[in-house]
Amino acid sequence: MISVLFLCYYKTLYGGIIMLDFIARNTPKVKENFILRSIDTVDGYDCYEVYSEDKKIVLAGNSNLILAMAFYRYLNEYCNVVITSGDYDISYIATTPLPDKKISHVIRQKIRARTSYEMFSLEGNYWGFDRWEKEIDFMAMHGINVAFQPVGFDGILFRTLCEIGMKEDVIADFSSGPAFIMRQLTGNVAGMNSINSNEYLERKIYVGKQITQREKELGITPVLPAALPSVPFNLRRKYLKMDIFKAPMWHNFPPIFFMKPENAFFEIFNKKFLNFQRELIGETSSYFFEPLYDVNQRGYNSHLISIGEALDDLLGEFDENAVCYTHLSSIGPDFFKNASADRFIIINDSDEDKPESVSY
C-alpha cells in the first residue's frame, strides 16, 4: 500500500505515468521491478540515486530526465547495457540484479545539448515518430536536456509563405527536399531536390509536434528555428517595398536571397512564422538561427549587425524569456554591436577570439 500511495504522489509531482511508460517501452519484461522516487537538487545541480529496497530497484532523481539517467546507469552497471545511438533494442532484458551498493551522482553541467544540422540531413529528416521515440529516449538516458528540433520546419515555412500570398506550387519548389532542408534552414541553399507536396509537409508538421511534445514530457528543451532563413526572390513582386539581397554563394550552389532585417517585412513575416510554429509544433523559449553558416562573411558586417539587432527585438517581443543558440563562426565579431548578448547562447566551434561582450 505504501508503494502504491507513493507512486500516486510521484505521478502528481513529476508525471510518473510518463516514466512508467518510458521503462515499459524500453524494458517491458522487467517494468514492475523499479520504484521511482523524487529527490532535491544538490546546490541547484541535477542529481540521481540508484539503490535497492524491498527487492526492487529504486531510481531517485529530481526530474523525469534525471530518472531516465538513473535508469540507464543501472542498466549499464548491472545489465551490461551500452547504448551508443537511438537505434537500439533492450527489450530482451528479463532479469534485474539488485544493486549491491548505493550509487549517487551529481551532474555538474547545466546545458547538455545534442543533435546537429548534419545529423538531420543524413538521418533525422527521414525518420517517423517510431524511430524518433527511440532517439528521444536515448537522449534522455544520456542526460541531454537541450535538443535542436527542426523537424516540421519545411511545413511551417510552407504555411507561412502561403499566408503571405505565395502560390503553393512556387513554395513547394522553393522548399528543399529532406537531404537539403537543413542547409536551407541554415541559409545555404533553397529549392534543392524538392520532392515536397502539401500532404508530405503536413506529415512533417505532425511528426515535429510529436517530437516536441515527447521531449518536453521527458524534460528535454526543444530548440526550434527562430526565423525564416531566406525567401523566394519573386516574393518581391507582391511586396514592392520589401528589400532583399543576394546571399553569399555556398560551394557553387545557386544563390539565395535574404530579407534585409531593417525592413518592416522582416518582423511581420517572422512573427507569422513563429506563431505558426508555436501553434503547430509546440511551445518553447529556446530557438536557433545561423545568420551566415559555413560561408565567407567578408563584406557582410553591416548585415550581421542588423540581423543581431533584429533577432533580439523579434524574439524579445514574441517571448520575453526567449534565448537563441547560434554558432560563433556564423555571426562574426560585430553581431552584438546593437544586440543584447544575454539573448544569445553561443556554440563555440571556432579558435577565433571570442567577442568580449559574450559570456560562455
Side-chain angles (χ1 to χ4, degrees):
M1 179 62 69
I2 293 176
S3 297
V4 172
L5 288 174
F6 180 82
L7 184 56
C8 292
Y9 176 64
Y10 179 82
K11 289 177 184 177
T12 301
L13 278 180
Y14 288 113
I17 292 176
I18 293 168
M19 290 312 298
L20 293 176
D21 289 345
F22 173 89
I23 292 172
R25 68 174 169 264
N26 283 284
T27 54
K29 295 178 182 179
V30 295
K31 62 183 180 181
E32 306 293 339
N33 297 356
F34 294 89
I35 297 174
L36 306 177
R37 289 190 176 161
S38 62
I39 57 175
D40 293 331
T41 59
V42 175
D43 298 327
Y45 291 103
D46 294 327
C47 60
Y48 65 77
E49 296 175 348
V50 180
Y51 55 95
S52 63
E53 183 179 291
D54 298 329
K55 298 183 180 181
K56 300 267 185 158
I57 299 101
V58 178
L59 306 175
N62 61 280
S63 68
N64 283 341
L65 181 72
I66 306 308
L67 285 169
M69 287 188 74
F71 175 68
Y72 179 60
R73 177 70 177 271
Y74 167 78
L75 295 178
N76 178 253
E77 295 213 9
Y78 291 95
C79 300
N80 298 316
V81 169
V82 177
I83 300 173
T84 58
S85 78
D87 189 15
Y88 68 90
D89 180 8
I90 55 174
S91 62
Y92 62 85
I93 294 175
T95 59
T96 51
L98 293 176
D100 55 1
K101 60 182 178 181
K102 184 174 183 177
I103 300 172
S104 298
H105 185 65
V106 179
I107 301 98
R108 298 289 177 180
Q109 296 79 25
K110 290 286 189 178
I111 298 177
R112 306 179 295 274
R114 183 178 180 271
T115 60
S116 67
Y117 305 132
E118 290 75 15
M119 174 265 192
F120 281 95
S121 294
L122 295 172
E123 298 178 292
N125 274 317
Y126 300 90
W127 294 341
F129 184 68
D130 56 344
R131 177 61 179 83
W132 266 110
E133 184 173 58
K134 294 180 72 66
E135 194 71 20
I136 296 167
D137 283 355
F138 164 78
M139 289 192 288
M141 283 189 275
H142 287 78
I144 302 302
N145 60 3
V146 173
F148 293 101
Q149 203 307 80
V151 177
F153 159 73
D154 37 7
I156 303 302
L157 174 66
F158 185 87
R159 290 282 194 103
T160 304
L161 293 178
C162 280
E163 176 73 10
I164 61 180
M166 298 292 294
K167 293 182 180 179
E168 290 191 6
D169 58 340
V170 174
I171 302 170
D173 289 340
F174 173 72
S175 180
S176 298
F180 286 92
I181 190 62
M182 291 311 304
R183 284 297 181 178
Q184 180 153 352
L185 183 52
T186 53
N188 299 128
V189 302
M192 295 303 302
N193 287 14
S194 177
I195 57 170
N196 299 319
S197 66
N198 194 16
E199 180 184 3
Y200 168 79
L201 295 172
E202 289 300 314
R203 289 202 305 270
K204 291 292 291 294
I205 290 174
Y206 180 67
V207 173
K209 182 177 182 178
Q210 289 179 295
I211 293 169
T212 298
Q213 181 177 337
R214 178 58 58 81
E215 288 179 346
K216 290 166 68 174
E217 287 174 351
L218 289 175
I220 300 171
T221 299
V223 184
L224 304 179
L228 297 172
S230 61
V231 294
F233 179 77
N234 54 6
L235 192 61
R236 180 76 169 76
R237 298 173 185 172
K238 184 174 180 62
Y239 298 93
L240 298 178
K241 295 183 180 181
M242 185 178 71
D243 291 333
I244 63 176
F245 70 95
K246 186 184 295 186
M249 186 175 292
W250 182 70
H251 293 291
N252 295 318
F253 279 81
I256 62 170
F257 299 90
F258 290 163
M259 282 186 289
K260 287 191 175 181
E262 305 93 330
N263 192 277
F265 288 110
F266 180 88
E267 181 179 347
I268 293 170
F269 290 173
N270 281 302
K271 280 188 175 178
K272 290 181 183 294
F273 171 80
L274 289 170
N275 278 310
F276 273 127
Q277 184 170 251
R278 173 184 282 174
E279 175 188 351
L280 299 171
I281 300 294
E283 188 87 32
T284 191
S285 289
S286 296
Y287 301 89
F288 67 92
F289 192 77
E290 304 289 0
L292 292 173
Y293 186 73
D294 195 26
V295 296
N296 189 336
Q297 299 174 11
R298 186 173 301 169
Y300 288 89
N301 292 342
S302 61
H303 173 66
L304 289 169
I305 294 172
S306 298
I307 198 72
E309 181 180 14
L311 272 177
D312 190 10
D313 292 342
L314 171 70
L315 293 175
E317 290 182 18
F318 184 73
D319 177 358
E320 63 181 9
N321 297 314
V323 295
C324 185
Y325 290 77
T326 189
H327 284 83
L328 178 62
S329 60
S330 181
I331 59 176
D334 296 323
F335 184 78
F336 292 102
K337 188 171 183 179
N338 295 325
S340 169
D342 294 337
R343 178 81 59 200
F344 298 88
I345 298 176
I346 307 304
I347 304 169
N348 185 11
D349 58 350
S350 172
D351 293 330
E352 299 174 8
D353 293 337
K354 302 171 185 176
E356 292 181 1
S357 59
V358 184
S359 298
Y360 294 87

